[in-house]
Structure formats: C-alpha cells, structure tokens
Amino acid sequence: MQIIEHSIIGTRSAVLRLRRPGSQLEFVLFPMLHVASPEFYAAVTQRLRRCDLLVVEGVRGRSVLAWAVTLTYRVMPANKRSGLVVDNIAYRSLGVEVINPDVTTAEFAQGWRAMPLRYRLQLWCLLPIVAVAQFFGGTRRLLSPEVELNDLPSARDELYSDSDFADHFERTFGGDRDERLLVALAELVRTRSSERIDVAVVYGAGHVPAIVRGLVDRHGYRPRTAEWLTVLDA
C-alpha cells in the first residue's frame, strides 16, 4: 500500500481511512512530512477541522538535542527559492480535542543516551552535513523517488535490517514512540468504539507503516479508502 508517492506531477501523501466491522470509530491517518508546500498543510488543516479527535506527534518540551535534529529539515525553507515551509499547523487552535502520546524531551534524551557512544558521535558529525545537503537539495529530494514510502520494507530497510546502528537508531527515533502511540490508540478502541467519531492520527510518514500494522494486527482495522494530497508539485 502506497503511503508517499512520487510521479512526474510531484509528490503526494495518501490520507488513509481505516475501519473495522462492529466499530463506529474510524481512524484517519495523515502521513506528514516535516517540510512541504503551504498548500499541503492548508489541505491537511481543512480536513482536521472535520475530525472529532486529533492524535498528534511531537516530542514534548525543548532540548538542544531536539533542536539539532530538527535543524536538518528546518533549514530547507531558509532557501527561499524552495517554496517550502515547515509544518506550522496549530493543532490546538482547530477547535478539536487533541491528544499527544509522544515522548517528552527527557524521555527522548534517555533513549538517546542508551545508544552506544560511537553511534551518537557519528550522528553528531552527520547532522551538519545533512543540514547543508537539505538546504541546497531538499526540494530535489522531495521530488525524487527516494521519498516514496509504502507499508512494505524497502530495499534500504532490508539492506540495513541486520545493522546494529540502524537498530539503535530505529529504537531511539521510531520504535518506542510508535509503541506509545499504539497504546494510546488501543485505549481509544477500548473506550470509544461505540461512538461514531473520526480519529485523526497526524504523524510523520515514516511512522505510518507501523501504525497500520498495529491497527490491523491488534484491532482488526483495515484501510478502506485513500485520498491523495499533493505535498509538492513538480
């Protein structure tokens, strides 16, 4: 199942609606990119206003580590020719209930410290290189096949599947956070399945395969429809 699509017309994100028999509650997954065209975020905002509950991503709190990591994409709109903006959706101003089950900066830092020192040093060395590359080539990357994503392991995933570095990286930046989200969604399924509500799950596209698998395997939900939103025109 395609989540982020690249084609000659540009890059698109699939808004996925998941349902299961016997449940009134439906999940609407919004695969997000940290940087996109203003029109993409406007389209997402418009649809979020129609939902009944928002479950959103976002490490809670401030830290030097989080600032450094997010710098790798925040530099892209600094290149004015890119036409890109950082995700600036003010979720709590939309008039819809918001839940944020993500980790705090302290918890994120704890996971970071659990990573072997040699890997942390490698990442600190890579961050400025990635930031420079994103500044000059971020738009080109968003319009390349490299950005494509589906719910199956990619060739890159398979290449690094036995990598100790990749395992630690995934655990710190993805796995534990995905599990916290799935626990929050399980609680909604348990307590609100009888309500006819649309629950928007607004997370980075990289988290979406794990979210879909969790809802399918643990709760019997299935993707039923998809609406394509343009992230960036070619």
Side-chain angles (χ1 to χ4, degrees):
M1 178 180 61
Q2 200 80 9
I3 295 168
I4 301 293
E5 176 198 67
H6 160 76
S7 71
I8 59 172
I9 65 172
T11 297
R12 301 191 300 170
S13 173
V15 178
L16 306 171
R17 180 174 289 272
L18 286 78
R19 303 186 180 105
R20 77 167 184 181
S23 176
Q24 295 293 306
L25 184 155
E26 298 184 3
F27 289 104
V28 186
L29 307 188
F30 289 82
M32 301 295 287
L33 286 88
H34 293 300
V35 176
S37 68
E39 293 79 11
F40 172 70
Y41 295 122
V44 171
T45 299
Q46 181 184 47
R47 287 155 179 78
L48 293 180
R49 292 185 190 277
R50 300 199 293 261
C51 294
D52 303 287
L53 175 64
L54 311 182
V55 184
V56 303
E57 177 185 19
V59 176
R60 289 168 285 148
R62 297 179 180 274
S63 73
V64 173
L65 174 60
W67 179 88
V69 171
T70 60
L71 181 65
T72 59
Y73 61 79
R74 286 187 289 108
V75 299
M76 293 167 65
N79 184 341
K80 300 303 182 183
R81 291 180 297 177
S82 71
L84 300 171
V85 297
V86 174
D87 181 354
N88 59 358
I89 300 175
Y91 297 105
R92 297 189 184 277
S93 71
L94 300 181
V96 183
E97 181 185 356
V98 176
I99 296 174
N100 177 5
D102 214 334
V103 296
T104 64
T105 51
E107 291 166 331
F108 183 70
Q110 183 179 10
W112 170 262
R113 289 192 297 271
M115 185 182 292
L117 178 61
R118 65 184 184 278
Y119 295 151
R120 283 181 278 156
L121 291 175
Q122 287 179 33
L123 284 171
W124 277 120
C125 292
L126 283 172
L127 286 177
I129 298 172
V130 172
V132 171
Q134 292 281 63
F135 178 82
F136 289 106
T139 302
R140 186 166 59 251
R141 180 180 178 277
L142 274 179
L143 291 172
S144 74
E146 182 183 350
V147 78
E148 286 196 329
L149 178 69
N150 59 51
D151 61 340
L152 298 175
S154 66
R156 177 180 293 181
D157 293 334
E158 293 177 352
L159 177 64
Y160 293 110
S161 61
D162 295 326
S163 165
D164 187 52
F165 174 82
D167 181 60
H168 281 285
F169 185 90
E170 169 60 23
R171 193 179 309 144
T172 301
F173 290 92
D176 291 344
R177 297 171 65 200
D178 291 343
E179 185 56 34
R180 288 179 67 122
L181 169 61
L182 290 171
V183 168
L185 299 185
E187 181 65 12
L188 291 173
V189 171
R190 186 183 71 83
T191 59
R192 304 190 66 175
S193 286
S194 62
E195 300 178 44
R196 178 58 197 96
I197 57 174
D198 284 346
V199 176
V201 182
V202 193
Y203 262 65
H207 296 274
V208 171
I211 298 170
V212 171
R213 285 194 298 270
L215 289 174
V216 169
D217 295 343
R218 302 182 189 186
H219 306 292
Y221 275 84
R222 294 288 186 275
R224 297 304 184 190
T225 64
E227 178 189 11
W228 289 99
L229 300 182
T230 299
V231 173
L232 186 64
D233 286 316

